[in-house]
Amino acid sequence: MDDPTQPKPSHASPITRLRFVFGEKRILGPGRVDLLEGIGATGSIAAAGRLMGMSYKRAWTLVEELNATFDAPLVEMHRGGAGHGGAQLTPLGLEITERYRRMQAASDGAIAADLEELVSRLRQGGEMAD
């Protein structure tokens, strides 16, 4: 919770997002990797989608797009009713998530000094000039 006695920062910390666009609907970025990690943690496309505030249909569509993007599926799905279905990351799915997180960390490190300089030049107060 915000402490009203403490000064507020004059600008928000920047957020970097690494996104690869290999073609139409062939995208790998932070949201899709979060979904993959959620599937790995929950064993369920629906549960992973819910954790992200995403409909099951949207989560399923993204998984289908991810599986079609690479030369092997990232998610293996088991159809079935309650208690019989589920999903899990394939070895390639696990590799892709780990590799993406390493690339994001490397990218963040590579640009840290330049990003700090950009932040130091931001207009104070967060207001856009007219």
Side-chain angles (χ1 to χ4, degrees):
M1 182 170 244
D2 290 336
D3 182 348
T5 64
Q6 296 297 316
K8 294 188 188 276
S10 59
H11 48 74
S13 297
I15 298 169
T16 60
R17 296 175 192 221
L18 191 60
R19 181 178 165 134
F20 300 101
V21 180
F22 303 109
E24 187 177 337
K25 296 186 180 184
R26 294 171 46 123
I27 299 165
L28 184 67
R32 291 174 190 226
V33 173
D34 288 347
L35 179 62
L36 290 172
E37 290 172 336
I39 292 166
T42 65
S44 166
I45 294 170
R50 277 192 303 275
L51 288 173
M52 298 177 67
M54 180 184 301
S55 72
Y56 175 74
K57 181 175 178 6
R58 177 71 178 143
W60 181 268
T61 299
L62 291 175
V63 167
E64 287 182 323
E65 289 174 5
L66 284 163
N67 280 347
T69 295
F70 292 91
D71 62 358
L74 306 187
V75 177
E76 183 177 77
M77 296 163 272
H78 305 282
R79 293 183 189 254
H84 300 290
Q88 65 185 35
L89 294 184
T90 64
L92 180 60
L94 185 58
E95 176 189 335
I96 295 294
T97 59
E98 290 171 351
R99 190 174 299 276
Y100 175 87
R101 294 300 184 201
R102 278 196 312 271
M103 290 188 295
Q104 178 70 63
S107 174
D108 288 348
I111 66 171
D114 286 323
L115 186 56
E116 188 175 319
E117 281 300 313
L118 288 178
V119 169
S120 75
R121 301 302 306 259
L122 292 176
R123 182 179 300 275
Q124 296 300 311
E127 297 295 321
M128 298 292 292
D130 290 332

